[in-house]
Amino acid sequence: MSEGVRSLACMPARVFALAGVTFTQLIRMRLFLVLAVFGIGFMGMQFLPYHGHLGVETRGVYQLQLIKDVALGCMQMFGLIFCVGATALLIPRDAEDRILYTILCKPVPRFEYLLGKLLGVWSILLLMMLLMDGMMVLILHLREASLTAEMVEVLGSQGATAEQMQPYIDHIAEASNSWNMQRGIIAMFLGYGVLTSVTLLFSTFTSGTIISMIFGLGVYFVGMFRHQMFAGINAGLGVEGSTEKMRFAEQIASVILPDFSIFNIADTASSGVAFTNGMLGYLVLIALGYMLLHLLVSTLIFSRKEF
């Protein structure tokens, strides 16, 4: 077996070893304290007054929707802070701890080093989002049971029949169903995967962690509001609609700057708007394309640096 083939065969082992080291580094940052705050906040929600002015027929639906909205907000906030903060720290922390020099003095290609770092970040991001998602589903299930029992008791005392109560029971069951919302959470994870890769790209040539974080957050917010930005430029120029030159500029910007707004479908999905598997597959292809592009450019820049 030639040396090149042998090195290629050992590539997965090296990449997963680097991912495991990165995973351990991030665990030591005690990120699981976020889950403790998340859990305490969810338990506290059980004792808050929920739309006391509403009737028992609709109060349960609002409670369940509020739980989903709070859970999504926590996932979005954690994902944004974690992807930018943790990724910007990876290379500087490795350089400070001399781990980077130890790894690169061995026959480890820089592409594999960067890929291992990305996989480590993605794995812990996936784990944290799965745990938060599981906690949300559990709370929704428990609240559905208690809200249904409360509604049946109140309506039963008012003389309502089982047939009259069934539509309200169905509404509560529909509000607690998070299956469609899971596609939105997957899309959110894909968007944060792209954000991780673009932040890693900046960390390969910037001079500090703070600069990488600022660039990463800047790209995220520009990508989220890119369409509004170009619409504002057209309005400032006094142009109605979008000109051909502006459309071309927006297409160029879409190649350089990811359109993070297309991954932001979780809130819409939680309100009941259906998203098909085909749409989700389309987002997967876009995310993989962006991440591969960022990884290749990062490798090109990183290979030019002397360590």
Side-chain angles (χ1 to χ4, degrees):
M1 182 182 297
S2 65
E3 187 65 28
V5 175
R6 186 181 300 109
S7 177
L8 187 61
C10 295
M11 175 182 171
R14 292 193 297 264
V15 170
F16 284 117
L18 288 166
V21 171
T22 305
F23 185 89
T24 303
Q25 286 177 322
L26 295 175
I27 289 292
R28 288 174 180 170
M29 294 170 63
R30 300 180 181 178
L31 293 171
F32 281 91
L33 292 176
V34 176
L35 288 178
V37 176
F38 186 82
I40 292 172
F42 256 43
M43 288 188 291
M45 287 181 63
Q46 311 306 309
F47 304 101
L48 294 176
Y50 294 98
H51 301 281
H53 62 284
L54 298 176
V56 68
E57 303 91 341
T58 56
R59 189 162 59 235
V61 174
Y62 281 98
Q63 290 186 29
L64 294 172
Q65 186 60 46
L66 179 60
I67 290 174
K68 291 194 286 188
D69 292 341
V70 170
L72 285 177
C74 290
M75 291 183 196
Q76 290 170 340
M77 182 179 298
F78 167 78
L80 179 60
I81 296 174
F82 172 78
C83 290
V84 174
T87 308
L89 282 170
L90 288 177
I91 296 178
R93 179 68 62 87
D94 279 1
E96 181 182 345
D97 296 339
R98 315 299 293 182
I99 296 175
L100 178 63
Y101 307 100
T102 304
I103 294 173
L104 295 183
C105 70
K106 299 177 181 180
V108 177
R110 303 198 179 194
F111 173 82
E112 295 179 11
Y113 170 79
L114 295 175
L115 179 58
K117 288 296 174 183
L118 285 178
L119 288 179
V121 176
W122 292 335
S123 60
I124 198 167
L125 175 64
L126 177 62
L127 177 61
M128 296 289 283
M129 292 190 70
L130 284 175
L131 289 173
M132 288 191 286
D133 186 26
M135 196 179 301
M136 177 195 69
V137 172
L138 176 62
I139 293 295
L140 286 173
H141 177 71
L142 296 176
R143 291 301 294 166
E144 178 194 2
S146 62
L147 289 169
T148 301
E150 177 188 354
M151 187 191 65
V152 169
E153 180 181 357
V154 172
L155 294 182
S157 65
Q158 296 174 357
T161 64
E163 290 78 10
Q164 292 173 329
M165 289 187 286
Q166 191 58 46
Y168 302 114
I169 295 175
D170 293 339
H171 288 160
I172 291 179
E174 182 180 354
S176 67
N177 183 12
S178 62
W179 176 246
N180 187 57
M181 198 169 120
Q182 299 306 314
R183 295 185 176 90
I185 294 174
I186 294 173
M188 184 195 306
F189 174 75
L190 293 172
Y192 287 139
V194 175
L195 179 59
T196 301
S197 64
V198 76
T199 305
L200 185 69
L201 169 60
F202 287 125
S203 69
T204 58
F205 64 85
T206 52
S207 57
T209 302
I210 302 299
I211 300 298
S212 300
M213 293 174 63
I214 292 174
F215 282 171
L217 288 173
V219 168
Y220 177 77
F221 286 111
V222 170
M224 282 291 293
F225 303 104
R226 192 180 67 206
H227 300 294
Q228 293 88 333
M229 181 181 69
F230 278 97
I233 293 175
N234 283 327
L237 295 175
V239 178
E240 293 186 3
S242 180
T243 64
E244 183 177 350
K245 291 182 179 179
M246 195 60 66
R247 285 195 298 269
F248 178 74
E250 189 170 0
Q251 290 173 356
I252 294 298
S254 67
V255 176
I256 301 173
L257 301 175
D259 185 1
F260 288 103
S261 63
I262 64 175
F263 301 104
N264 190 31
I265 62 172
D267 292 326
T268 308
S270 70
S271 63
V273 178
F275 287 92
T276 64
N277 291 330
M279 296 170 63
L280 188 59
Y282 173 72
L283 292 180
V284 169
L285 292 177
I286 292 178
L288 290 176
Y290 273 126
M291 289 186 285
L292 180 59
L293 174 64
H294 296 154
L295 184 59
L296 293 176
V297 176
S298 299
T299 303
L300 179 63
I301 297 173
F302 199 58
S303 63
R304 297 175 180 270
K305 300 187 72 172
E306 297 293 336
F307 292 100

